[in-house]
Amino acid sequence: MLDALLLSSRWTLFLVTLLHTASGYFDYQAKIPNGNNVPSPCKAGETWPGVGHKLMSGGGARNAFGQDFADSGREWTRALCEKDSDGDGWTNGQELGDPNCTWSQGTTNSTSSPLSHPGVCDPWTDPKCLARDESWVLPACQNLEFTCNGINDVSTKKMDLKLPRTVVPAAETTYMCQIFSIPNDTDYHIIATQPLIDNVNIMHHAVVFGCTKDEAATPNPYPCGMLPGLSCNAIVSLWSLGNNGDCKHENVGIRFGMNGFKKLALQVHWNNPKKRSDYFDQSGMRIYYTPNLRTYDAGILTTGQDALLIPPGETSVKVHSTVPSACTSRFFTGTIYVTAALNHMHYLGVSQTLELYRNGVKIRDLSADPKYNYDNPIIHRFKDPIEIQPGDELRTRCEFESSKKSTTTIYGDATSNEMCYSFITYYPRQNAKRLFFNSFLSIHYCMLDMLDTYEGCPWRAALSLTDPKLLSLYFLIDQNCNLFEKCSPSCYNAIQTAKQHKCLQGDMWRFLMRSPPMDKRTVTFLMKWRSCQCEDAEPPSAPPTAPDTVAKPNNSTCDWAGLDPLDPVSVDNPLGALISNITSNCITIGICLKECVQPDMAARKHKCFQGTEWEYGRRYLYERSNFNNFAKFLLGFESCNCEISATPTTTPATTPDTTTTTIAATPPTTGAYSFQCSHRHLVLITFMFVFSTSCLAS
């Protein structure tokens, strides 16, 4: 099954990183007067620790005061003190107990005057405040308490899945997992979960997974970037900023015990941008469960688009994904009933909908967020569940705005990346035989699971090295293209012939080439495949024969041998900085990004990347391209060949036009999409195997 191929890697990228936001930066409290004692406008007697944020706990989007604080260099200045950030008629100094603007960091906080929140117009229900769009305050205040029917029943039990007190590594991002034993004497239903957050400075999110097999429980947490365990791949619940708990529909529960999950696994994501070494954490999740089983077992489905390439400076970039009717016909054994739906994007996301279609006609929205807010996700709940029948179609639509970005945004889990997913809680669980219904451009994973040949591409045969036509095409390119020559007529014709094969064109080619291993075999094939990427027609004649080896020029000052292949920029070598700029800004699989052009041109202007010096250096790096950094550099360096040749000095490269991107949109004609998600490399492994003999002998 294709699911088994993908679950261990790509799916978990978004499952374990469902939400990603900035740290609360609670050390900034010390930089403003009474920063640790700012009252909550929601509830008397409580404080608002994340003073500069729209979330009480901190992190995520800033409120008006937080933005002004950032603009002041995160210092308490007289200008900031005298400003009325929230527009309620009181200066920030007056609201924080420093009306004369005399306080400085390290001095005693004044307690002589009442305090109020400098980032929330007070009272926030006043018409003048509502006119300032203080609508974010209401959901922030409503999220203070967790209520759920059934959790206080006599039969309901509680179980805390908490990490023991654990040192937080001095690293920006860390994933930690722990597998817990659970009661198995009978069957139980999980009816609710609640976060138990210890260190708010570093907690990003927590996810509870169900394990279908009896995985070994772990007494201590362990670093994990993938699934907590081989069978722990089903989402039970999650916590993120703005979410105070997960309450299941009154008729459903998540089953564990004799006939359900055998273990539960907790995964937490720590974000430590300052790489502090003095943090500890013992966060977790509280599970509410009951032996009084509800009517149905619940499950969670995922839909969405994995192919995201959002150019900078755009006011609207639209992406969508479809679950075709053929997939629901195949993988739904009966009607499923939706009790809740949740949309998920990151900070560029501005709107998202999940739509239900039947016989080509729209039935309704399952989750519509016309003004998406990452920090206050809306869980769309249905007291009267919504039916999805076998043969129905689901469409996920996401819109992004990148007007304030200067670089291209791709799919991934980091703040600088984006996602486009919808999560559907449904019952009965057994009526869906598949949990993930995502797409890569127009390629539906559920369709691949059904078909050996997809849109004319025998992709299974390609994986197993049993398609003779593909093998002959690989050899054709290998025999006619030279790594270090310009495009020859024979190479051009070989590539054009290969591109007629359905596996080597369009979205299928981009899907198969999405995440190759960075080694010498990859570099060999892709450098040959791209030999003629800038040619619109067959060259009139063959270029001069390029030698396999080139001697280092006399009196050369280019210290190629001095580069550290594991970290080129770590040594005092100017080549290292140029290489690092390329690998940081350029994609390896053939798309020229706008931000790649300037570092690429800067490298090409350096004497070591010209003439005989570069002919030697290029071969030196190629021979060592089993090192990831050198492989990424060689492929990234050549990703803008066509654009730089056409506009050698001032005009930036044209980024792919995704202002209105849909699943069927035609991406750039050269190359493929590249993402942070990992994969089993699919057809590219075949390519590398075929070329292994020639490249290893070179």
Side-chain angles (χ1 to χ4, degrees):
M1 295 287 286
L2 184 62
D3 278 350
L5 182 67
L6 300 174
L7 269 173
S8 65
S9 53
R10 181 174 44 76
W11 295 135
T12 56
L13 176 62
F14 68 84
L15 292 179
V16 302
T17 58
L18 287 171
L19 293 175
H20 194 293
T21 184
S23 170
Y25 301 112
F26 287 96
D27 49 337
Y28 291 145
Q29 291 179 345
K31 293 192 171 187
I32 61 175
N34 293 294
N36 64 343
N37 199 31
V38 175
S40 167
C42 308
K43 193 171 183 178
E46 295 192 2
T47 61
W48 193 285
V51 185
H53 295 272
K54 292 183 177 181
L55 289 176
M56 183 180 71
S57 58
R62 300 185 182 105
N63 56 38
F65 174 75
Q67 187 58 56
D68 289 339
F69 179 62
D71 292 343
S72 71
R74 296 183 174 85
E75 298 292 339
W76 184 248
T77 64
R78 174 167 287 275
L80 178 62
C81 177
E82 294 177 344
K83 191 169 186 176
D84 178 15
S85 294
D86 55 18
D88 59 5
W90 298 86
T91 68
N92 296 330
Q94 289 175 313
E95 298 208 61
L96 291 175
D98 184 27
N100 299 319
C101 301
T102 58
W103 180 89
S104 61
Q105 187 171 357
T107 60
T108 303
N109 287 313
S110 172
T111 57
S112 60
S113 59
L115 305 178
S116 55
H117 198 307
V120 178
C121 185
D122 190 34
W124 57 272
T125 54
D126 188 279
K128 75 175 185 296
C129 295
L130 294 176
R132 290 175 50 87
D133 189 21
E134 297 290 288
S135 58
W136 60 269
V137 181
L138 178 59
C141 290
Q142 288 177 333
N143 284 338
L144 291 177
E145 295 183 1
F146 176 63
T147 59
C148 180
N149 290 334
I151 63 174
N152 295 318
D153 291 353
V154 175
S155 61
T156 300
K157 305 175 185 294
K158 293 186 295 186
M159 175 172 48
D160 291 349
L161 310 182
K162 288 184 61 177
L163 304 180
R165 191 169 187 264
T166 304
V167 175
V168 176
E172 182 172 355
T173 299
T174 303
Y175 296 102
M176 297 295 286
C177 293
Q178 187 168 350
I179 299 176
F180 295 84
S181 295
I182 54 179
N184 61 4
D185 55 318
T186 186
D187 282 347
Y188 298 91
H189 264 168
I190 296 172
I191 62 172
T193 61
Q194 186 178 5
L196 302 171
I197 306 306
D198 173 42
N199 190 337
V200 294
N201 294 288
I202 49 87
M203 273 297 294
H204 265 195
H205 72 264
V207 183
V208 177
F209 292 92
C211 307
T212 57
K213 296 182 179 180
D214 197 13
E215 301 274 351
T218 56
N220 295 298
Y222 53 92
C224 56
M226 298 293 183
L227 295 172
L230 293 177
S231 72
C232 304
N233 53 30
I235 301 175
V236 170
S237 186
L238 65 96
W239 168 83
S240 62
L241 290 175
N243 180 359
N244 65 348
D246 180 17
C247 180
K248 304 300 182 186
H249 188 276
E250 61 186 6
N251 292 333
V252 307
I254 304 290
R255 185 185 294 256
F256 73 84
M258 293 180 65
N259 298 292
F261 294 127
K262 305 306 179 185
K263 293 287 195 301
L264 293 178
L266 172 71
Q267 184 172 56
V268 300
H269 179 187
W270 290 330
N271 184 59
N272 185 9
K274 293 190 174 182
K275 301 180 180 179
R276 290 178 53 166
S277 59
D278 58 343
Y279 278 146
F280 294 84
D281 186 49
Q282 49 185 354
S283 296
M285 297 278 272
R286 174 165 293 165
I287 308 297
Y288 294 90
Y289 66 100
T290 176
N292 298 329
L293 299 182
R294 294 179 170 182
T295 308
Y296 302 103
D297 291 341
I300 296 177
L301 301 178
T302 304
T303 73
Q305 177 59 256
D306 289 350
L308 298 179
L309 190 72
I310 305 170
E314 299 291 339
T315 57
S316 178
V317 178
K318 296 179 180 179
V319 176
H320 84 266
S321 174
T322 300
V323 181
S325 60
C327 287
T328 59
S329 294
R330 172 67 176 271
F331 295 106
F332 287 3
T333 60
T335 299
I336 66 171
Y337 299 86
V338 178
T339 62
L342 171 69
N343 291 327
H344 177 67
M345 299 183 287
H346 289 178
Y347 282 116
L348 296 187
V350 295
S351 67
Q352 183 174 350
T353 59
L354 172 62
E355 303 167 342
L356 172 63
Y357 281 76
R358 185 168 298 145
N359 298 321
V361 177
K362 182 176 178 179
I363 302 299
R364 59 165 297 153
D365 291 330
L366 294 179
S367 55
D369 294 327
K371 291 185 177 180
Y372 179 82
N373 186 336
Y374 177 69
D375 296 309
N376 287 296
I378 297 174
I379 300 177
H380 301 267
R381 302 185 186 276
F382 308 106
K383 184 173 180 59
D384 297 321
I386 308 302
E387 291 187 8
I388 302 180
Q389 301 175 5
D392 285 353
E393 183 178 309
L394 296 171
R395 300 179 186 178
T396 302
R397 303 181 188 274
C398 295
E399 182 177 10
F400 304 92
E401 180 185 351
S402 60
S403 57
K404 296 181 180 180
K405 292 276 291 186
S406 59
T407 58
T408 302
T409 303
I410 62 176
Y411 170 91
D413 63 331
T415 302
S416 57
N417 302 139
E418 268 300 339
M419 290 185 179
C420 173
Y421 291 117
S422 295
F423 301 94
I424 303 167
T425 303
Y426 74 98
Y427 71 85
R429 182 188 57 81
Q430 60 270 25
N431 278 11
K433 301 302 182 183
R434 183 186 178 93
L435 297 177
F436 302 102
F437 291 88
N438 297 14
S439 303
F440 182 93
L441 297 174
S442 63
I443 308 300
H444 309 291
Y445 298 120
C446 56
M447 295 295 292
L448 292 182
D449 216 6
M450 296 161 55
L451 303 171
D452 292 338
T453 298
Y454 186 80
E455 296 185 351
C457 170
W459 69 281
R460 290 190 191 274
L463 278 176
S464 60
L465 301 174
T466 57
D467 184 71
K469 180 61 175 176
L470 276 174
L471 292 175
S472 67
L473 293 174
Y474 307 154
F475 283 119
L476 183 67
I477 294 173
D478 187 36
Q479 294 167 358
N480 287 278
C481 298
N482 187 294
L483 287 170
F484 304 113
E485 288 180 3
K486 293 183 178 180
C487 181
S488 68
S490 61
C491 180
Y492 178 87
N493 290 323
I495 292 173
Q496 294 304 311
T497 298
K499 286 183 177 180
Q500 300 306 306
H501 195 286
K502 293 295 185 181
C503 290
L504 304 179
Q505 59 181 248
D507 290 349
M508 179 55 73
W509 168 242
R510 297 179 181 93
F511 170 73
L512 298 176
M513 292 293 291
R514 52 192 296 198
S515 184
M518 285 293 104
D519 56 23
K520 190 174 183 180
R521 297 176 180 181
T522 302
V523 173
T524 301
F525 173 74
L526 290 180
M527 287 176 70
K528 290 187 175 186
W529 177 260
R530 293 191 207 164
S531 297
C532 299
Q533 64 179 346
C534 302
E535 306 297 327
D536 295 325
E538 179 184 334
S541 60
T545 301
D548 291 334
T549 60
V550 172
K552 187 174 184 178
N554 294 329
N555 301 318
S556 172
T557 59
C558 301
D559 187 15
W560 298 104
L563 289 170
D564 181 351
L566 300 180
D567 187 8
V569 78
S570 66
V571 294
D572 186 17
N573 187 333
L575 296 178
L578 293 170
I579 288 175
S580 178
N581 284 338
I582 295 293
T583 57
S584 299
N585 291 283
C586 303
I587 288 180
T588 61
I589 314 299
I591 289 179
C592 180
L593 302 183
K594 181 181 292 185
E595 59 266 32
C596 177
V597 176
Q598 291 305 318
D600 199 330
M601 292 179 65
R604 292 169 191 252
K605 291 178 181 178
H606 194 280
K607 63 179 181 180
C608 294
F609 295 86
Q610 299 176 0
T612 307
E613 289 278 15
W614 174 231
E615 289 303 317
Y616 170 80
R618 189 184 186 201
R619 288 162 173 78
Y620 179 90
L621 295 177
Y622 168 72
E623 289 301 323
R624 293 154 183 81
S625 57
N626 277 322
F627 290 106
N628 183 278
N629 285 311
F630 289 168
K632 289 175 65 177
F633 168 75
L634 286 171
L635 297 175
F637 181 73
E638 296 187 345
S639 64
C640 291
N641 276 351
C642 306
E643 289 77 7
I644 291 178
S645 297
T647 56
T649 54
T650 59
T651 305
T654 301
T655 56
D657 182 10
T658 55
T659 299
T660 306
T661 304
T662 69
I663 196 168
T666 301
T669 55
T670 59
Y673 285 82
S674 178
F675 300 90
Q676 285 195 352
C677 53
S678 65
H679 198 267
R680 293 296 183 94
H681 315 315
L682 295 176
V683 148
L684 195 59
I685 295 177
T686 303
F687 299 163
M688 300 311 110
F689 179 84
V690 171
F691 284 108
S692 62
T693 302
S694 59
C695 76
L696 292 177
S698 62

